[in-house]
Amino acid sequence: MAVAEAYVPTAAPPARRDRAVRAARGRLDWLAVGLLVLVTLVALAAPLLAPHGPLDPVGTPTAAPGTEGFLLGSDSVGRDILSRVLYGLRSSWLAALAVVTFGLLFGGLVGLVAGARGGWVDTLLMRLTDGFLALPAPVVAIAVVAALGPGLLNTLLAVSLVWWPFYARILRGEIRTLAARPHVEAARLAGTGGVRIALKHLLPGAIPAAVVTASLDIGTLVLTLASLSFLGLGQSAPAPELGADAARNLSYLLQNWWIPVMPGIAVALLSLAANVAGDGVRNLMSGR
Amino acid sequence: MLILVAKRLTAVVLILLALTAVLFALEQTSTSDPIKTMLGPGASQALVAQKRAELGLDDPIAAQYARYVTDLVHGDLGTSYRTRRAVSADIATFLPATLELALFGLVTAVLLAVAFAVATTLRWPGAGAFRLLLMVGASAPAFLLAIGGIVVFYRELGWLPATGRTDFVDAPTGPTGLLTVDALVHGRPAVLGDALQHLLLPGLAIAVGPAVSIGRVLRSSLVTTLRTDYTRTARAKGLREVEVMRKHVLRNSIGPALSMTGLQVGLMFAGVLVVELIFAWPGLGQYTAQSIPVDDFPAIAGVMLLLGVAYVLINTVVDLLQAAADPRIEA
């Protein structure tokens, strides 16, 4: 674009085509959101979908993908990698959803109280939130799990502990903006109580922003949880976990690459699906 | 400006105090028992009691916390249960390798982010493919990029090394500990090239994710700036496109991207810890990973404290830089 382009007047596209394009995009967004449901269903149905038990040695060790009936190959003790990946996917996905849900509920509550009450409550809660936001979340999470001891529950606890402040900030911002709107003022003049205003006049307006943030966040969470698991902070040995399965099988990387790589690809697909779905949710909510 | 600096510094002190309080509280609840680790499981009651008193573990919590902070201020991070050395000495040994990798990763991330943002905003040829590649890469965990990189570029193609910092057994070890800098200081270009080759795969693995986050922010502020009246004026008065970008657009779009870079440093730290394990990189990630299975909490807390302090300081500097660059930002 170093040279100025000639001005070419473009005819406005016919309205009907425009509408068709928009409808197609809307359908794509719904498809993306459908992906979210699909992944959740796969996660829930993992025990039904997995051809073998995730802990059972069922065949020759280190079989290549697609051989001996192993779609993704078998690991060093002859366990079916596909089955382990499906179970790992289940725990990763449900863990990410659990953390997001906790973040939304707890962070949302903090943000709602701070925004609706204002004054010193607002200052106190937001200083606390800022304090958490000022610290690097993954680092604090690692310290917490290291102190409590590795394990799925402790990891969830640690990540939830550092994840809610984002939501508190966003909710509080939305609530403050809404609180200045005429309908809230009208409610206050009508003598509506503080709690009722917060729940009926402020909260509903703030929910879309929170949901959009949450859905865009799931992908990041999947990655964060996987790296904690990779560092050895997740469930202990035989349990199928995507990050840990990759880390424990690093020594096979050069001879049997699929053993550590397959769980990694599963994490990538999971986070990609979450990101695509998150974009879809955002587009639908913002009414593009 | 001075008031702003004072305010930010106060905030830093408070945040760091909060961080130490968190770590101290974690140490209290930690499942690992320092006495047992030090004396072994067969120690007698009397010996345990004596050691507890000696370490001051029977003092009130507040006194213990005060002592903990005083020690930290004096650079005493406690003693590692595993190596039985001072944690600060251990960290000093492992820090340079991590610092070099993290800095290399950060620079790579910023370069990729700028390329991503500028290419997609100005619709350079190939921008779409580049964007897709980065977006897919950013969905992958750092460890997958790392092991995938090893399989492709080490095992299949043999272009890049897979482990360690250098192949030279006589590589210089001083004065900075950063191999690339030391190689320059000692006038060894071969070592420098080798060190860069070793940095490339782990550096890229940790850079791609942050690059996309930074690039997205930069892109959206570029788009906004390109639509401003002063950009139109700059074009209208006949400035070359390169000049418009450099003088008017990039400069005014950099702020939000800089903030994002500061925030991404936290994620990058996690990436460094993970990637070091894969590349047998002799840094803090290895140190942490070896400390986790044996419940060596002082060692882990020491590393996390260091990373936390680095993160807080970096973000404070970013804030102040922004305020200095843009007078509209005030305390």
Side-chain angles (χ1 to χ4, degrees):
Chain A
M1 288 232 293
V3 186
E5 285 164 40
Y7 176 65
V8 185
T10 44
R16 194 188 298 166
R17 219 192 110 218
D18 201 36
R19 221 175 297 143
V21 167
R22 204 171 297 169
R25 277 202 183 146
R27 272 198 292 277
L28 270 184
D29 289 335
W30 277 112
L31 267 181
V33 177
L35 198 60
L36 205 67
V37 178
L38 182 72
V39 176
T40 309
L41 284 180
V42 169
L44 288 175
L48 301 175
L49 297 172
H52 302 283
L55 306 179
D56 311 333
V58 284
T60 341
T62 69
T67 61
E68 307 192 28
F70 294 119
L71 194 60
L72 302 182
S74 70
D75 71 2
S76 55
V77 288
R79 292 177 299 203
D80 176 34
I81 294 181
L82 174 65
S83 303
R84 287 188 69 79
V85 161
L86 279 170
Y87 273 88
L89 197 140
R90 171 190 169 92
S91 73
S92 284
W93 187 251
L94 298 183
L97 289 185
V99 174
V100 161
T101 310
F102 174 82
L104 266 179
L105 292 180
F106 187 74
L109 183 67
V110 171
L112 180 65
V113 171
R117 277 296 298 271
W120 67 269
V121 177
D122 184 25
T123 314
L124 183 75
L125 287 177
M126 282 304 111
R127 283 288 168 272
L128 188 71
T129 308
D130 286 344
F132 269 97
L133 282 177
L135 298 173
V139 171
V140 175
I142 290 172
V144 173
V145 191
L148 299 179
L152 185 61
L153 210 63
N154 289 345
T155 309
L156 284 182
L157 206 69
V159 180
S160 302
L161 189 71
V162 293
W163 220 265
W164 64 266
F166 297 106
Y167 298 99
R169 262 251 157 266
I170 286 158
L171 251 287
R172 187 252 178 201
E174 290 286 313
I175 298 278
R176 294 304 291 172
T177 323
L178 287 169
R181 297 264 286 274
H183 75 275
V184 178
E185 209 171 323
R188 204 169 291 137
L189 284 175
T192 317
V195 176
R196 196 179 156 82
I197 288 187
L199 292 181
K200 296 223 61 161
H201 299 278
L202 293 174
L203 187 60
I207 283 177
V211 169
V212 168
T213 316
S215 55
L216 286 170
D217 232 18
I218 297 177
T220 318
L221 259 175
V222 166
L223 293 184
T224 306
L225 289 167
S227 43
L228 289 185
S229 157
F230 189 92
L231 285 171
L233 294 168
Q235 301 178 57
S236 52
E241 225 181 35
L242 298 175
D245 270 9
R248 288 189 204 114
N249 292 307
L250 271 185
S251 51
Y252 296 95
L253 184 59
L254 296 182
Q255 278 76 45
N256 316 106
W257 59 267
W258 56 90
I259 305 180
V261 168
M262 290 303 179
I265 292 179
V267 175
L269 288 179
L270 212 50
S271 112
L272 189 64
N275 289 340
V276 170
D279 280 342
V281 170
R282 184 192 50 200
N283 293 342
L284 287 174
M285 289 269 199
S286 65
R288 182 179 70 180
Chain B
M1 187 69 199
L2 268 180
I3 298 173
L4 179 65
V5 173
K7 267 190 177 173
R8 283 299 141 94
L9 287 184
T10 321
V12 167
V13 172
L14 287 178
I15 289 163
L16 291 184
L17 268 179
L19 178 61
T20 57
V22 168
L23 287 175
F24 178 76
L26 288 175
E27 191 154 20
Q28 296 298 308
T29 56
S30 166
T31 46
S32 70
D33 183 349
I35 306 290
K36 256 188 200 135
T37 319
M38 278 179 202
L39 299 177
S44 72
Q45 288 281 326
L47 198 60
V48 168
Q50 185 199 339
K51 195 79 185 170
R52 280 192 71 87
E54 199 180 302
L55 291 173
L57 293 179
D58 298 326
D59 296 351
I61 292 288
Q64 289 193 46
Y65 175 63
R67 193 168 53 232
Y68 173 74
V69 174
T70 318
D71 286 348
L72 286 184
V73 173
H74 290 105
D76 179 1
L77 298 173
T79 309
S80 157
Y81 303 152
R82 183 172 61 89
T83 66
R84 295 183 184 264
R85 301 199 317 152
V87 172
S88 51
D90 279 345
I91 286 182
T93 312
F94 292 107
L95 178 63
T98 298
L99 187 63
E100 185 165 42
L101 178 55
L103 285 177
F104 184 84
L106 190 61
V107 172
T108 312
V110 170
L111 291 179
L112 281 177
V114 172
F116 168 79
V118 174
T120 50
T121 314
L122 299 184
R123 304 221 168 83
W124 284 351
F130 181 55
R131 178 175 183 201
L132 192 70
L133 194 71
L134 271 190
M135 300 290 253
V136 171
S139 290
F143 69 80
L144 179 65
L145 297 179
I147 60 182
I150 289 179
V151 169
V152 174
F153 293 103
Y154 171 74
R155 199 186 71 143
E156 296 300 322
L157 300 171
W159 289 355
L160 291 169
T163 51
R165 299 175 74 190
T166 178
D167 290 337
F168 286 85
V169 278
D170 64 335
T173 52
T176 60
L178 306 180
L179 201 52
T180 45
V181 179
D182 290 343
L184 278 178
V185 171
H186 288 265
R188 304 267 303 270
V191 177
L192 174 65
D194 181 60
L196 287 175
Q197 275 193 359
H198 280 82
L199 277 166
L200 198 56
L201 276 183
L204 270 177
I206 57 174
V208 172
V212 170
S213 303
I214 302 167
R216 275 181 157 170
V217 172
L218 182 58
R219 183 187 135 84
S220 77
S221 58
L222 277 181
V223 169
T224 316
T225 318
L226 277 169
R227 286 204 200 112
T228 55
D229 290 341
Y230 61 78
T231 305
R232 195 156 31 139
T233 310
R235 283 207 176 121
K237 76 181 180 190
L239 274 188
R240 281 182 303 137
E241 193 63 28
V242 180
E243 291 283 291
V244 175
M245 283 306 281
R246 195 174 63 83
K247 278 196 180 154
H248 296 276
V249 179
L250 270 180
R251 176 123 189 225
N252 281 304
S253 312
I254 219 89
L258 204 61
S259 293
M260 194 54 172
T261 311
L263 295 177
Q264 288 295 316
V265 168
L267 278 182
M268 200 163 225
F269 283 153
V272 171
L273 296 181
V274 164
V275 159
E276 279 189 7
L277 285 187
I278 298 168
F279 289 91
W281 196 264
L284 292 173
Q286 293 278 353
Y287 182 64
T288 309
Q290 285 161 1
S291 305
I292 287 172
V294 292
D295 275 345
D296 188 352
F297 193 72
I300 300 167
V303 175
M304 296 311 137
L305 182 69
L306 178 78
L307 296 181
V309 170
Y311 179 80
V312 171
L313 290 183
I314 288 171
N315 281 290
T316 308
V317 170
V318 165
D319 270 5
L320 291 177
L321 276 181
Q322 269 186 334
D326 188 343
R328 286 171 298 183
I329 297 175
E330 275 173 21

